[in-house]
């Protein structure tokens, strides 16, 4: 990514954030290809973070480091605390206790410095609907303090790389859902941020649109950027370098996708039966530790294929389908919490206070 010099602008997009003064200051973005990576200093760091909304204890002691150049996913069910943690890192919310740092800057005391170096895509649309795609990007560049010429050049580059050239002149409100999300991503990238925050950024998109979106995010990471994303879809977390599983405001597991799956053990036997509760009870009586999920009865075993014949022969209920597979992130979550990760209703979680501009 090319270096660019930023200028102070009179109007600042970040002034749209609650209680925020204009934050744009002259600054020089680092060339991420050359890198200003200082040793192993984390890009994001949380220490002893708690967040309470009145009686709701949304974050219960988060300690976390995200490394520079890492694609990091926060994966958990609706209500787990993802948007709350995301909003604290992204300077949109103050913690009740503890500290959060982004690129060495405190997310409360030095939020100006943090905002200058980050790009963000919210769960909810933030485009100017009446403006063209090109103008949305150009405007965001100006808000970030780029010169008009630099903003135009950068917007033009992003229109090409994100496959938006054909719709560049179209009003943002007339785009498809997938196109809108790509414009949101382009806007977040227009000032070449060092950290990109994505909160459930592809919620509601079809598979093709999600694939295109994530391909661009990976492109950004391969150029040296750091990504912190939240999702409740395991397949979106899967390409991340590391994943933190979050549940009830606590990180319950952290590691690469493979490390997390290794925690489950050998493999998974999934049975769809006429009576899953009875099947699970029988399995328990015979020394197994089954979990019941929406997909059926799930049994983790070092060699699930070896268990299958005995189970099929003796289970007192009819088995409609039996399947053996490698552990998935869904299985990891189920094993750790006894509950399913994806609720399947696609409903967004309640929004954190002041969390969106
Ligand atoms: N502004 C708020 N006021 C009260 N409770 C909130 C607020 N924002 C979030 N919560 C609660 O905090 C918990 C975590 O919410 P959130 O961080 O949005 O979870 P997620 O993004 O994982 O769905 C949930 O119980 C949610 O209802
Ligand atoms: Mg959320």
């Amino acid at each position: 990514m090319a270096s660019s010099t930023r200028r102070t602008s009179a109007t600042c997009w970040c002034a749209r954030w609650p209680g925020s003064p204009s934050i744009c200051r002259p600054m020089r973005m680092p060339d991420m290809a050359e890198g200003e990576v200082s040793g192993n200093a984390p890009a994001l760091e949380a220490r002893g973070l708690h967040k309470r909304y009145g009686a709701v204890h949304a974050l219960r002691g988060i300690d976390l480091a995200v490394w520079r150049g890492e694609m990091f996913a926060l994966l958990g069910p609706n209500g787990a605390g993802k948007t709350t943690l995301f909003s604290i890192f992204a300077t949109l919310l103050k913690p009740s206790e503890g500290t959060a740092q982004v690129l060495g800057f405190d997310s409360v005391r030095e939020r100006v410095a943090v905002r200058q170096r980050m790009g963000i895509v919210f769960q909810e649309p933030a485009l100017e609907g009446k403006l063209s795609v090109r103008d949305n990007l150009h405007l965001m560049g100006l808000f970030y303090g780029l010169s008009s010429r630099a903003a135009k050049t950068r917007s033009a580059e992003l229109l090409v790389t994100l496959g938006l050239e054909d719709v560049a002149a179209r009003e943002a409100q007339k785009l498809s859902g997938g196109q809108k999300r790509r414009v949101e991503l382009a806007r977040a990238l227009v000032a070449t941020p060092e950290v990109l925050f994505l909160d459930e950024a592809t919620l509601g998109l079809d598979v093709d649109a999600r694939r295109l979106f994530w391909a661009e995010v990976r492109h950004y990471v391969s150029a040296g950027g750091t990504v912190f994303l939240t999702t409740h879809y395991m397949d979106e977390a899967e390409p991340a370098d590391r994943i933190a599983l979050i549940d009830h405001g606590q990180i319950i597991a952290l590691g690469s996708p493979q490390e997390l799956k290794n925690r489950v053990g050998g493999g998974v036997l999934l049975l769809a039966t006429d009576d899953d509760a009875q099947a699970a009870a029988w399995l328990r009586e015979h020394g197994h530790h089954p979990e019941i999920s929406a997909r059926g009865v799930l049994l983790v075993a070092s060699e699930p294929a070896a268990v299958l014949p005995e189970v099929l022969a003796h289970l007192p209920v009819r088995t409609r389908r039996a399947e053996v597979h490698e552990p998935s992130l869904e299985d990891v979550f189920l094993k750790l919490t006894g509950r399913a990760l994806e609720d399947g209703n696609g409903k967004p979680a309640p929004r954190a206070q002041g969390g969106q501009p």
Side-chain angles (χ1 to χ4, degrees):
M1 295 190 191
S3 297
S4 57
T5 305
R6 293 176 173 178
R7 296 186 319 184
T8 306
S9 70
T11 336
C12 177
W13 67 281
C14 37
R16 296 170 66 203
W17 275 329
S20 170
S22 175
I23 61 163
C24 290
R25 302 281 185 279
M27 67 168 289
R28 190 180 172 279
M29 283 293 288
D31 184 329
M32 291 197 296
E34 286 167 16
E36 286 194 354
V37 176
S38 55
N40 268 342
L44 311 184
E45 190 169 24
R47 288 194 188 166
L49 270 191
H50 286 259
K51 180 65 187 178
R52 293 182 191 81
Y53 302 101
V56 179
H57 198 165
L59 295 181
R60 300 160 179 258
I62 302 282
D63 292 291
L64 183 65
V66 173
W67 307 113
R68 293 182 192 228
E70 195 170 37
M71 180 162 168
F72 191 94
L74 189 62
L75 175 67
N78 281 337
K82 302 183 296 297
T83 297
T84 301
L85 180 55
F86 174 94
S87 303
I88 291 173
F89 274 133
T91 76
L92 306 171
L93 202 61
K94 288 184 185 170
S96 307
E97 271 175 56
T99 58
Q101 289 199 335
V102 177
L103 303 163
F105 297 103
D106 186 276
S107 71
V108 177
R109 285 184 289 104
E110 298 169 297
R111 64 180 178 177
V112 170
V114 174
R115 289 180 185 187
Q116 285 171 330
R117 292 163 175 81
M118 63 180 240
I120 191 162
V121 178
F122 296 106
Q123 185 171 315
E124 281 154 41
L127 295 178
E128 301 296 339
K130 293 270 186 210
L131 291 187
S132 71
V133 169
R134 184 179 281 112
D135 287 348
N136 261 281
L137 301 191
H138 186 215
L139 190 65
M140 185 55 87
L142 297 180
F143 280 163
Y144 260 110
L146 298 183
S147 69
S148 181
R149 190 196 183 105
K152 274 194 181 134
T153 308
R154 181 75 180 129
S155 303
E157 269 171 31
L158 287 164
L159 289 171
V160 174
T161 54
L162 285 159
L164 292 164
E165 273 177 305
D166 290 350
V167 294
R170 198 177 297 171
E171 280 182 17
Q173 64 192 5
K174 294 186 178 156
L175 300 177
S176 72
Q179 289 167 333
K180 280 183 187 154
R181 289 277 96 186
R182 269 186 285 148
V183 179
E184 303 255 13
L185 180 61
R187 266 181 19 141
L189 295 177
V190 90
T192 320
E194 290 173 70
V195 179
L196 180 60
F197 289 103
L198 306 168
D199 189 18
E200 304 263 8
T202 59
L203 199 68
L205 289 192
D206 63 39
V207 175
D208 283 347
R210 282 162 71 177
R211 197 170 37 76
L212 275 171
F213 183 95
W214 291 113
E216 274 320 308
V217 173
R218 275 195 294 279
H219 180 71
Y220 167 81
V221 174
S222 66
T226 304
V227 170
F228 182 80
L229 70 99
T230 79
T231 181
H232 67 279
Y233 293 128
M234 63 171 178
D235 59 327
E236 286 193 349
E238 192 85 46
D241 297 307
R242 285 191 308 146
I243 299 169
L245 287 181
I246 183 167
D247 189 38
H248 293 308
Q250 287 182 312
I251 290 173
I252 56 169
L254 176 69
S256 68
Q258 196 54 52
E259 282 164 356
L260 291 178
K261 290 174 193 172
N262 290 346
R263 292 178 65 146
V264 170
V268 174
L269 170 60
L270 184 65
L271 302 168
T273 72
D274 282 351
D275 186 338
D276 287 351
Q278 200 185 336
W282 183 88
L283 286 164
R284 260 180 231 111
E285 281 165 23
H286 289 77
H288 300 293
H289 303 282
E291 309 279 353
I292 298 181
S293 79
R295 294 176 291 155
V297 182
L298 199 113
L299 193 66
V300 173
S302 51
E303 286 185 57
V307 181
L308 187 58
E310 180 216 336
V311 170
L312 288 181
H314 302 292
L315 204 65
V317 294
R318 191 172 74 93
T319 304
R320 286 183 281 109
R321 201 179 67 247
E323 162 192 324
V324 171
H325 64 245
E326 300 280 307
S328 67
L329 293 169
E330 173 78 46
D331 298 325
V332 179
F333 191 84
L334 190 70
K335 195 69 203 159
L336 290 173
T337 67
R339 285 176 291 109
L341 178 60
E342 294 178 24
D343 60 11
N345 66 12
K347 277 189 205 149
R351 185 203 275 186
Q353 209 163 26
Q356 320 272 338

